[in-house]
Amino acid sequence: MNSSEENAVSGMSAGRSAMRMGPAELVQAAAMARRFYLEGKSKIQIAEEFGVSRFKVARVLETALERDLVRIEIRVPAELDAERSDALRARYGLRHAVVVESPADAEETPDPENLGEVAADLLGELVNEGDVLGLAWGRSTIHMAAALNRLPPCTVVQLTGVYDAGTAERGSVEAVRRAAQVSGGDAHPIYAPMLLPDVATAAALRNQTGIARAFEYFDKVTVACVSIGSWEPGISTVHDMLSDEERAHYASLGVAAEMSAHLFDSEGRRVGRDLQERCITVRADQLRRIPEVVAIAGGQRKAPAIDAVLRSGLVTSLVTDTSAADALLAGGPAPRPALNRTDPDGT
């Protein structure tokens, strides 16, 4: 037995409580605990081996815990915060919540790069062979794609246009290609801006062959990866693409967050729905039907926006950091669970 096993099942504790057991009892209890905790044997199997009832085995194991003969440690990698993760999952009714330790030397900037690395590992767990993986534009999804090193064979489709068509090869288009390369599946990128000047131009682009082919996959997406933006400069790509007059208009509607060109107020209700008609993006009702929607967003500045999007019911899982998690957990009354996937507007 190695040193970690010896810590998990300590041979004989020097504590007073353990000394109340005689040496034969200690040896037997340690042996039973070793069978149960380290070898994975059932209580019935242990009872048969030692010639006692399974009820006695249960009592011995319980006593071993009470008297410090057995010490159980639950360990996760140092960068993951299991307690905050579970609390966040429960608060918002998420399927998965993964909280990453905020870098100690990092400035208070949104979406630290280590979120992408953890999100890449999470996608490796969630995506199954034959799935259709959708990737929306966002710095965090780009970091995630760069960190991918394993994915089962799947189709990868881009869910939104790009922030700047001139940088498509270095942004979400490259993220889609990278994910497809890792998985060995087909890639369906979108070579078009996310935001167009008017509805007619957006409609015309949607009918172009390559873009229309990508759109055909939107209803087939089984796992999606999205980013969340606060309604402020440098943290929301949609905010940065609009004119000052348009920003003021949407701000007057109470916009608190955006995700894939969809705008939300602080209660998670969608506002400014006319903007979607000018955008190359997956529709909100399509997002709502996707079985697994993973959002990647972090930083204390983004906490209100993350809260708003989680309240919308569009997201099922979240990868964030401790600074955002602390702000989210310190909020007011818990929202209704996200997994009911209903629209807060009732529409």
Side-chain angles (χ1 to χ4, degrees):
M1 189 165 60
N2 60 36
S3 59
S4 62
E5 291 175 336
E6 290 173 353
N7 287 333
V9 181
S10 54
M12 291 188 182
S13 173
R16 292 181 179 178
S17 59
M19 292 303 294
R20 294 172 188 161
M21 299 176 71
E25 291 177 306
L26 283 169
V27 170
Q28 185 184 69
M32 288 183 176
R34 185 175 291 106
R35 304 289 195 281
F36 186 74
Y37 292 108
L38 300 184
E39 299 175 13
K41 291 187 175 181
S42 69
K43 294 174 184 176
I44 294 176
Q45 290 174 314
I46 297 170
E48 290 175 350
E49 179 182 349
F50 286 88
V52 297
S53 71
R54 63 184 177 88
F55 302 105
K56 180 175 181 179
V57 173
R59 287 196 300 272
V60 169
L61 293 175
E62 183 178 352
T63 301
L65 284 171
E66 292 174 350
R67 300 190 177 183
D68 206 25
L69 184 65
V70 173
R71 297 177 185 176
I72 298 175
E73 294 183 9
I74 300 174
R75 294 183 177 181
V76 295
E79 69 271 16
L80 301 183
D81 192 305
E83 185 175 351
R84 286 184 175 93
S85 297
D86 189 54
L88 207 57
R89 179 201 57 75
R91 175 176 173 78
Y92 288 95
L94 298 169
R95 187 169 292 121
H96 304 284
V98 182
V99 177
V100 182
E101 190 69 34
S102 300
D105 57 348
E107 297 180 2
E108 182 46 50
T109 55
D111 303 337
E113 290 191 24
N114 61 337
L115 294 185
E117 297 172 4
V118 174
D121 288 340
L122 179 61
L123 282 189
E125 292 183 59
L126 299 180
V127 177
N128 296 307
E129 183 173 353
D131 276 348
V132 176
L133 172 62
L135 300 182
W137 159 264
R139 298 179 187 90
S140 56
T141 53
I142 292 171
H143 292 154
M144 179 277 300
L148 279 172
N149 54 37
R150 64 183 178 96
L151 271 181
C154 65
T155 299
V156 186
V157 61
Q158 192 170 323
L159 295 179
T160 64
V162 299
Y163 174 53
D164 181 352
T167 63
E169 294 292 338
R170 301 190 301 275
S172 48
V173 169
E174 176 56 30
V176 169
R177 286 179 169 173
R178 166 66 181 167
Q181 180 184 30
V182 172
S183 74
D186 294 332
H188 296 277
I190 294 177
Y191 294 94
M194 181 188 294
L195 179 65
L196 282 304
D198 53 64
V199 174
T201 303
L205 275 179
R206 291 191 200 102
N207 289 325
Q208 287 190 358
T209 303
I211 297 175
R213 186 178 298 117
F215 269 55
E216 289 174 358
Y217 278 92
F218 286 1
D219 287 326
K220 303 174 185 177
V221 173
T222 50
V223 180
C225 191
V226 300
S227 297
I228 296 173
S230 301
W231 196 245
E232 55 181 305
I235 305 184
S236 165
T237 52
V238 173
H239 179 281
D240 292 347
M241 286 189 285
L242 294 172
S243 67
D244 290 341
E245 183 179 353
E246 289 171 324
R247 292 171 190 154
H249 165 67
Y250 290 117
S252 71
L253 301 179
V255 175
E258 65 92 0
M259 179 182 70
S260 303
H262 300 288
L263 310 182
F264 305 86
D265 67 11
S266 60
E267 296 299 317
R269 295 181 291 257
R270 285 194 297 131
V271 296
R273 300 190 183 200
D274 60 304
L275 183 65
Q276 178 186 319
E277 299 304 315
R278 293 171 49 197
C279 292
I280 303 298
T281 185
V282 61
R283 298 194 313 270
D285 63 298
Q286 290 174 314
L287 276 173
R288 201 176 299 279
R289 291 194 295 269
I290 296 174
E292 186 73 74
V293 179
V294 180
I296 313 171
Q300 188 173 2
R301 287 175 63 187
K302 270 198 177 182
I306 297 170
D307 176 72
V309 172
L310 292 183
R311 289 172 181 270
S312 75
L314 291 176
V315 169
T316 62
S317 298
L318 174 70
V319 177
T320 189
D321 64 352
T322 51
S323 61
D326 285 343
L328 292 168
L329 293 171
R336 61 177 167 174
L339 290 184
N340 61 23
R341 310 303 297 281
T342 57
D343 192 327
D345 294 346
T347 59

